[in-house]
Amino acid sequence: TTLFRSIGLLPILKPNPLVQLMKHAFLIYAHDEPLVLHTLLRLLDHERNEIFLHLDPRNSVLPSVLSPSPLSRAKLHLLTPAQRVSWGDYSQIEVELRLFAQALQVGPFAHYHLISGVDLPIKPMAEIHAFFDAHPTTEFLGFWNDEVHQRDLERRTHRYYLFTQYLKRAPHKWRHRFTVPLRNVSLAAQKIINYRRHRQQQFHKGFNWCSLTHDCVTWLLEQQTWIQHTFRHMLAPDEIYKQTLIAASPFAKNIYDRNDPERGTMRRIDWTRGRPYVWQTADIDELMAIPHLFARKFDAPTAIALAQRLELA
């Protein structure tokens, strides 16, 4: 609440009685698995959907997914210029905010669904639309509240992280090797002098994948200056910034479920068998039987098999 004394909040608008006629925005950022992305686009091809797509420029194969386009009913908006996205880096937030902003210019939409290029719907599109039509003012945002995630949240938010764009070895092996000791020395020095960033701010953590209402996205983009100031040089801030802002906002009362992150986002993501687990064809019956609407992540054979099942449903 301390934060929001200095930020002007937009009022929550009354539910639009025409929300059932509104379209949905699917915001996708993809960096690999072109066949899975092609399948995802095909499954989202519906007249009530518009797709906003960012293709990581480091993968030269991804644009081939659009030639020819798998879409005939949904409208596609390609986010340009494309930018390099690095895991754990602020660039992930930059692309998310750019996708939200582009969709907002085209909208309004009933919900803005942020997904990756290796996610898939696991229910027919008519069922997905019906679910969100029944929850027109609800925010679908997941929270990790357990003790392990809270310790990780402390580690990520209260130190100043250098060279986060080189956290992973690939595709910049030499820069990664050079910057790791520099970052470690910096973190050790901060620990010795007991340096802590953002001492008064309460942070929250969860999936970056979400489904947010038009009003919430509008308000979120109003906070971009604070987002940049707070979350730059933080470790993996894409899993923190939306939860932190929305949990302390008037939209908090509209969050679907703050205790179960999968139910809260209506996304099935298995962290017990992988980081996360890649669904197999043997799992399709399980996926189609659960109440969730989306799942991640998939490889090409499973994506194609799931699409065939959904198209027959």
Side-chain angles (χ1 to χ4, degrees):
T1 56
T2 302
L3 159 66
F4 293 93
R5 295 192 186 113
S6 60
I7 295 180
L9 297 177
L10 296 180
I12 299 179
L13 303 180
K14 293 181 179 179
N16 186 343
L18 299 179
V19 69
Q20 292 188 5
L21 304 179
M22 292 177 68
K23 290 187 173 184
H24 289 259
F26 284 87
L27 286 56
I28 306 168
Y29 58 92
H31 69 279
D32 62 2
E33 294 286 356
L35 288 177
V36 179
L37 176 60
H38 186 277
T39 304
L40 170 61
L41 294 175
R42 203 172 84 232
L43 291 174
L44 295 178
D45 189 23
H46 189 283
E47 56 270 11
R48 282 191 66 186
N49 296 340
E50 295 204 23
I51 297 167
F52 299 82
L53 176 63
H54 177 265
L55 301 176
D56 195 303
R58 288 171 293 195
N59 191 323
S60 60
V61 178
L62 283 178
S64 66
V65 170
L66 305 177
S67 300
S69 174
L71 300 172
S72 60
R73 293 176 292 174
K75 188 173 182 180
L76 175 68
H77 307 266
L78 198 60
L79 186 64
T80 57
Q83 70 181 86
R84 294 188 174 192
V85 180
S86 300
W87 180 87
D89 181 54
Y90 186 77
S91 57
Q92 291 182 282
I93 290 182
E94 289 178 322
V95 169
E96 286 188 16
L97 293 177
R98 288 180 62 201
L99 285 167
F100 280 129
Q102 184 186 36
L104 203 64
Q105 289 179 345
V106 176
F109 295 98
H111 276 87
Y112 296 70
H113 309 278
L114 183 66
I115 59 178
S116 84
V118 292
D119 295 8
L120 291 177
I122 55 175
K123 297 291 186 293
M125 192 51 58
E127 187 173 333
I128 293 174
H129 287 154
F131 177 85
F132 287 105
D133 287 344
H135 299 86
T137 61
T138 304
E139 312 301 340
F140 295 87
L141 184 69
F143 288 79
W144 284 318
N145 301 316
D146 61 90
E147 185 177 341
V148 172
H149 281 294
Q150 292 308 302
R151 288 198 301 268
D152 182 63
L153 183 61
E154 171 82 9
R155 176 179 68 93
R156 291 190 190 190
T157 56
H158 293 298
R159 297 284 187 248
Y160 193 97
Y161 283 83
L162 299 175
F163 310 114
T164 51
Q165 66 270 44
Y166 306 129
L167 284 169
K168 284 201 169 184
R169 185 180 303 275
H172 21 243
K173 179 173 65 174
W174 295 108
R175 290 178 182 176
H176 169 82
R177 181 177 296 179
F178 178 73
T179 56
V180 164
L182 295 177
R183 183 169 52 253
N184 289 341
V185 168
S186 169
L187 291 171
Q190 293 175 65
K191 186 175 182 179
I192 290 170
I193 65 174
N194 195 28
Y195 172 75
R196 286 173 56 86
R197 303 176 71 196
H198 314 300
R199 290 176 181 268
Q200 303 303 316
Q201 178 62 49
Q202 182 179 7
F203 291 100
H204 300 273
K205 176 190 173 191
F207 298 155
N208 56 334
W209 318 112
C210 60
S211 297
L212 303 178
T213 64
H214 176 79
D215 296 338
C216 187
V217 170
T218 300
W219 173 82
L220 187 68
L221 289 174
E222 293 278 330
Q223 321 309 325
Q224 287 188 78
T225 300
W226 188 84
I227 291 170
Q228 181 174 353
H229 171 76
T230 304
F231 295 96
R232 273 197 182 278
H233 304 292
M234 193 177 284
L235 180 61
D238 60 307
E239 296 179 339
I240 303 170
Y241 84 101
K242 293 189 295 294
Q243 282 79 2
T244 297
L245 281 160
I246 295 172
S249 77
F251 297 94
K253 69 179 185 295
N254 297 333
I255 294 172
Y256 190 58
D257 190 326
R258 286 190 60 164
N259 297 312
D260 183 338
E262 292 191 348
R263 184 174 184 272
T265 57
M266 295 303 290
R267 287 153 170 81
R268 178 71 175 102
I269 307 174
D270 186 345
W271 292 97
T272 61
R273 291 181 286 178
R275 303 296 301 166
Y277 175 64
V278 179
W279 298 101
Q280 305 297 305
T281 53
D283 302 318
I284 291 177
D285 287 337
E286 173 191 342
L287 288 172
M288 294 189 70
I290 61 178
H292 305 74
L293 303 176
F294 308 98
R296 74 184 309 263
K297 61 183 186 175
F298 291 89
D299 59 14
T302 308
I304 293 169
L306 176 62
Q308 291 172 344
R309 288 283 298 275
L310 287 172
E311 288 164 351
L312 293 173

